[in-house]
């Protein structure tokens, strides 16, 4: 096949795909929004990967209900709290990726729903339930465990992966400089286990999360903290033991629990006869109504939001920016969860220039990254404030190092108690890969015109003189970081600097040290933004969300499309992402990769 024929065929296939997608989108756009029937039950399914904010990919709506996220869960539960058509919430638990701050966000929404007088049924359909998931469902009026499942309430467990031995086997010599002693992100490459400083700061955070978990379990399950600790020391408990100790309310299967929910809904409807938002009478006679009551009307979070969001408007608008992922300089790369400084500064700039936007809420879920990318976003936050537009930060699972940097210039910082934050410090890193490439049979020959032309070479380590110059650079960046933090927190440099040193804190610990302003979730951040923007409490607010959802046209022809990305295919073996990561030096504002179970 000739090159010209291949190009023509490629164009024909592309046009065909675009036409098919356009037809599918057209059909999709004419779909009626889901109906919320009277006496319905909202089903919140916590399973699989759960992100913090909504997806921007339009294909997910076409192919299914898309990736679940904390933002949608919380909104749906909040709507359901005041929706008289929704009689109860059912939470179905399976293995998921929810973080501790996300768990606190959902737990708060469920607590609010429970206070409305409506029941919550939590059904555990996984082999065992861990501390974090159990924490989410504590507000439930009834917790049901499968007979074969276990209750794994056994305390916190933090895990950090170290790569030094692997690098040694690959003949790669890492050279990282941390500023200062608690700035531990590089330890994963330079050590085989935690340094004493890293262990101290991480254990301090983990014990804080555990203490809060114990207090919550004790309060909600009518136990003393010592009783909870004793139960946790047992490790894995069988379903029978969990029921006997009153950590769950029942043992059973969903079919049995579904019958109980039906009975509760029917009893509630026949007792109050309240009309829902649609005006449909939930009690009364009529053969159709009687027939409908034989079935449990359940509705998923995505379907419910499509129904209740239809036609929603607000007198006042607030910008809501989901800043998630590793921070880089330049543009974002959503396919690799990269948050570009220029891209996100552009979002904030658009909101600043839009006169209809009264305030901006920046939802941060990032361990940091590029110092330059972080600084670009920080400057735009300050510019928005200078223009008279309040900016409030809402921290999610992690907002540390660069994630804290982009937050510190805001009017208010709102944090979940278990958010990982702080880590005010910098780390520089490069790899000496000469022996690795030699092992592969790849050799290098060089020319340099000055003695420090090779300062960032990936085939050698820094000389003592070069290391001194890098340390001077890092010192300037670190002092600038601390100074900007002090300015943002209305403190002196000497007050903030001892709290820096690269140390991580939980949200609650950061609040005690005045690194943040308020403990709470996204609702609290919005409340703070409304207050600063002088939006009356009775006024409805409409959110303008960034990043905006992409159109199919954007995905096919835009800079993030597979077609555009194919144009960036590495030109050689050395241009692949893996080898580029070994070749490029970094000055990072990044927190260590920590998994807390």
């Amino acid at each position: 096949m000739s090159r010209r024929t291949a190009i023509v065929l490629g164009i024909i296939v592309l046009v065909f795909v675009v036409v098919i997608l356009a037809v599918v989108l057209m059909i999709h756009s004419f779909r009626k929004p889901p109906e919320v029937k009277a006496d319905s039950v909202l089903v919140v399914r916590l399973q699989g990967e759960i992100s913090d904010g909504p997806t921007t990919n339009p294909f997910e709506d076409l192919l299914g209900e898309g990736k679940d996220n904390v933002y949608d869960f919380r909104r749906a539960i909040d709507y359901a709290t005041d929706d008289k058509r929704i009689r109860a919430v059912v939470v179905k638990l399976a293995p998921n990726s929810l973080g501790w701050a996300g768990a606190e966000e959902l737990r708060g929404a469920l607590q609010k729903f429970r206070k409305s007088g409506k029941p919550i049924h939590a059904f555990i359909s996984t082999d065992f339930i861990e501390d974090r998931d159990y924490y989410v469902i504590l507000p439930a009026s009834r917790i049901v465990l499968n007979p074969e499942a276990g209750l794994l309430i056994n305390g916190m467990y933090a895990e950090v992966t170290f790569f030094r031995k692997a690098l040694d086997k690959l003949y790669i010599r890492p050279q990282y400089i941390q500023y200062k002693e608690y700035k531990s992100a590089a330890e994963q490459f330079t050590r085989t286990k935690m340094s004493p400083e890293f262990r101290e700061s991480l254990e301090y955070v983990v014990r804080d999360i555990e203490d809060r978990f114990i207090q919550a379990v004790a309060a909600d399950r009518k136990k003393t903290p010592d009783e909870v600790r004793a139960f946790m020391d047992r490790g894995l408990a069988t379903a029978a033991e969990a029921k006997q100790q009153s950590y769950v309310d029942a043992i059973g299967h969903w079919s049995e629990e579904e019958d109980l929910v039906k009975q509760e809904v029917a009893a509630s409807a026949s007792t109050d006869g309240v009309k829902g938002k649609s005006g449909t009478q939930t009690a009364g006679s009529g053969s159709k109504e009687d027939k409908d009551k034989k079935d449990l009307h359940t509705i998923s979070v995505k379907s419910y939001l499509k129904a209740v969001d239809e036609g929603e408007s607000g007198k006042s608008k607030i910008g809501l920016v989901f800043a998630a992922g590793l921070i880089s300089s330049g543009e974002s790369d959503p396919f690799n969860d990269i948050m570009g400084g220029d891209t996100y500064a552009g979002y904030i700039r658009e909101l600043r220039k839009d006169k209809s936007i009264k305030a901006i809420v920046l939802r941060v879920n990032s361990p940091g990254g590029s110092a330059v990318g972080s600084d670009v976003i920080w400057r735009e936050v300050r510019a928005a404030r200078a223009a008279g537009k309040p900016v409030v930060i809402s921290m999610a699972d992690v907002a540390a190092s660069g994630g804290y940097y982009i937050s510190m210039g805001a009017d208010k910082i709102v944090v979940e108690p278990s958010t990982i934050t702080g880590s005010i410090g910098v780390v520089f890193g490069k790899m000496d890969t000469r022996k690795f490439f030699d092992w592969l049979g790849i050799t290098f020959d060089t020319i340099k015109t000055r003695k420090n032309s090779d300062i960032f070479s990936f085939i050698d380590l820094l000389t003592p003189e070069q290391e001194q110059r890098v340390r001077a650079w890092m010192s300037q960046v670190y002092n600038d970081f601390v100074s900007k933090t002090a300015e943002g927190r209305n403190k002196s440099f000497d007050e903030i600097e001892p709290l820096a040193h690269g140390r991580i804190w939980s949200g609650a610990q950061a609040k005690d040290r005045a690194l943040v302003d308020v403990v709470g979730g996204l609702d609290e951040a919005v409340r703070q933004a409304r207050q600063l923007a002088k939006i009356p409490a009775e006024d409805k607010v409409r959110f303008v969300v960034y990043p905006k959802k992409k159109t199919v046209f954007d995905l096919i022809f835009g800079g993030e499309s597979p077609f555009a990305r194919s144009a960036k295919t590495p030109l050689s073996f050395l241009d692949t992402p893996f080898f580029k990561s070994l070749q490029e030096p970094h000055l990072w504002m990044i927190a260590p990769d920590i998994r807390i179970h």
Side-chain angles (χ1 to χ4, degrees):
M1 183 185 294
S2 68
R3 179 179 176 85
R4 177 177 296 178
T5 303
I7 292 173
V8 171
L9 284 175
I11 293 173
I12 292 172
V13 170
L14 177 59
V15 171
F16 178 76
V17 170
V18 171
V19 170
I20 293 296
L21 287 173
V23 172
V24 172
L25 276 175
M26 188 180 300
I27 295 171
H28 183 73
S29 65
F30 283 110
R31 286 181 185 171
K32 290 177 63 177
E35 179 188 358
V36 184
K37 296 181 179 179
D39 305 330
S40 290
V41 173
L42 177 67
V43 177
V44 178
R45 190 181 296 274
L46 301 181
Q47 181 175 3
E49 185 179 355
I50 300 174
S51 61
D52 185 61
T55 180
T56 61
N57 188 343
F59 287 119
E60 294 196 358
D61 284 338
L62 299 178
L63 303 176
E65 293 206 328
K67 185 190 297 183
D68 291 319
N69 61 84
V70 174
Y71 177 62
D72 282 349
F73 284 145
R74 186 194 59 78
R75 283 197 305 143
I77 297 168
D78 283 350
Y79 284 135
T81 300
D82 299 321
D83 190 341
K84 294 177 181 178
R85 296 168 298 181
I86 301 295
R87 292 286 178 173
V89 162
V90 168
V91 181
K92 289 189 174 182
L93 270 170
N96 63 78
S97 65
L98 197 64
W100 271 98
E104 286 169 334
E105 187 85 24
L106 292 185
R107 181 171 182 265
L110 290 172
Q111 283 177 318
K112 182 180 174 183
F113 183 89
R114 181 73 189 279
K115 287 177 182 176
S116 71
K118 301 178 185 180
I120 300 172
H121 290 252
F123 183 76
I124 301 164
S125 56
T126 182
D127 290 330
F128 56 84
I129 181 173
E130 299 184 53
D131 306 60
R132 183 202 60 225
D133 290 333
Y134 187 69
Y135 183 78
V136 173
I137 61 172
L138 278 174
S141 45
R142 183 173 164 86
I143 299 176
V144 182
L145 192 62
N146 184 282
E148 305 305 323
L151 193 62
L152 190 61
I153 302 177
N154 62 337
M156 301 298 111
Y157 173 74
E159 183 180 279
V160 181
T161 304
F162 292 87
F163 303 99
R164 181 57 194 265
K165 287 186 177 180
L167 293 176
D168 288 343
K169 288 182 179 181
L170 293 171
Y171 308 105
I172 296 173
R173 291 192 296 169
Q175 185 176 34
Y176 283 84
I177 306 168
Q178 60 190 63
Y179 207 97
K180 294 185 176 182
E181 71 273 16
Y182 290 103
K183 192 64 183 176
S184 47
E187 291 190 10
Q188 294 178 263
F189 304 102
T190 60
R191 300 177 62 90
T192 58
K193 62 181 181 179
M194 299 179 216
S195 66
E197 293 82 6
F198 188 9
R199 179 172 293 277
E200 174 197 341
S201 64
L202 181 54
E203 185 171 353
Y204 191 56
V205 168
V206 168
R207 290 195 179 279
D208 178 66
I209 294 173
E210 180 176 272
D211 287 345
R212 193 160 39 256
F213 171 77
I214 290 171
Q215 294 298 327
V217 174
D220 289 351
R221 301 307 297 182
K222 305 294 189 294
K223 306 283 185 183
T224 66
D226 286 341
E227 286 175 327
V228 177
R229 291 187 186 97
F231 186 80
M232 291 168 70
D233 285 339
R234 297 174 59 174
L236 180 64
T238 65
E241 290 170 335
K243 171 69 169 63
Q244 184 182 20
Q245 296 290 322
S246 301
Y247 286 91
V248 300
D249 299 293
I251 301 171
H253 298 88
W254 169 242
S255 58
E256 300 162 336
E257 192 64 17
E258 185 178 24
D259 289 337
L260 180 61
V261 177
K262 285 182 190 177
Q263 294 170 16
E264 280 191 359
V265 169
S268 174
S270 62
T271 299
D272 60 28
V274 175
K275 290 186 178 182
K277 285 185 180 179
S278 63
T280 303
Q281 187 73 25
T282 62
S285 60
S287 59
K288 185 177 185 303
E289 288 187 7
D290 292 337
K291 181 179 181 298
D292 285 347
K293 286 180 183 177
K294 293 178 183 177
D295 298 320
L296 183 64
H297 301 314
T298 60
I299 188 166
S300 70
V301 166
K302 295 285 186 182
S303 294
Y304 181 60
L305 286 177
K306 286 176 183 176
V308 297
D309 278 351
E310 185 71 17
E312 185 187 18
S313 62
K315 184 179 178 181
S316 301
K317 291 197 288 186
I318 290 179
L320 178 56
V321 182
F322 285 90
L326 194 69
I327 301 172
S328 74
S329 55
E331 300 297 325
S332 293
D333 181 1
F335 286 88
N336 292 308
D337 292 325
I338 300 296
M339 177 182 17
D342 290 348
T343 300
Y344 275 79
Y347 296 154
I348 298 169
R349 190 178 306 115
E350 286 182 37
L351 292 168
R352 167 168 60 88
K353 292 180 177 180
D354 186 341
K355 294 181 180 178
S356 69
I357 301 294
K358 304 298 183 185
I360 300 170
V361 174
L362 185 62
R363 175 77 170 180
V364 181
N365 193 26
S366 170
S370 161
V372 171
S374 301
D375 189 65
V376 168
I377 299 172
W378 171 83
R379 285 183 62 83
E380 201 56 52
V381 168
R382 292 297 301 267
R385 288 185 64 191
K389 201 153 286 190
V391 181
V392 176
I393 302 298
S394 173
M395 291 183 169
D397 289 319
V398 57
S401 202
Y404 184 80
Y405 192 108
I406 66 176
S407 305
M408 62 192 180
D411 291 277
K412 294 283 184 181
I413 301 176
V414 180
V415 64
E416 290 286 5
S418 297
T419 296
I420 302 297
T421 189
S423 194
I424 300 169
V426 290
V427 61
F428 171 85
K430 63 174 286 187
M431 303 275 189
D432 173 9
T433 59
R434 183 188 292 272
K435 289 185 178 179
F436 169 70
F437 283 111
D438 185 58
W439 175 58
L440 293 177
I442 300 172
T443 58
F444 299 89
D445 201 359
T446 62
I447 295 174
K448 65 177 186 177
T449 58
R450 296 289 183 271
K451 64 178 180 178
N452 288 318
S453 297
D454 61 346
I455 189 169
F456 288 157
S457 167
F458 64 92
I459 55 173
D460 210 345
L461 298 179
L462 296 172
T463 66
E465 179 185 350
Q466 290 170 346
E467 182 176 339
Q468 184 180 5
R469 297 307 308 149
V470 169
R471 286 186 180 277
W473 177 30
M474 294 176 69
S475 175
Q476 181 267 317
V477 173
Y478 173 80
N479 289 331
D480 193 38
F481 195 168
V482 175
S483 296
K484 288 174 178 175
T485 303
E487 179 186 351
R489 304 310 303 160
N490 295 315
K491 302 283 185 181
S492 69
F493 182 97
D494 291 339
E495 287 176 303
I496 291 296
E497 204 279 333
L499 304 175
H501 289 234
R503 181 163 184 162
I504 60 171
W505 307 98
S506 71
Q509 292 164 348
K511 171 67 169 63
D512 291 341
R513 289 158 180 80
L515 291 174
V516 302
D517 298 291
V518 183
V519 173
L522 186 57
D523 276 347
E524 177 60 28
V526 172
R527 192 185 72 81
Q528 294 283 338
R530 291 178 67 122
Q531 203 171 62
L532 290 167
K534 296 181 170 55
I535 300 173
E538 63 274 10
D539 280 8
K540 206 170 187 179
V541 166
R542 180 153 50 104
F543 294 107
V544 178
V545 179
Y546 283 82
K548 291 183 176 178
K549 194 164 211 174
K550 306 293 183 192
T551 65
V552 173
F553 185 87
D554 291 332
L555 289 183
I556 294 175
F557 298 106
E560 298 165 5
S561 72
F563 300 102
R565 289 169 63 80
S566 66
K568 301 176 184 177
T569 301
L571 298 177
S572 74
F573 176 67
L574 298 181
D575 289 324
T576 59
F578 172 71
F579 288 109
K580 291 290 284 184
S581 69
L582 297 178
Q583 298 165 33
E584 295 175 356
H586 302 277
L587 181 62
W588 286 334
M589 291 178 177
I590 192 167
D593 180 23
I594 302 166
R595 291 170 293 282
I596 300 176
H597 306 286

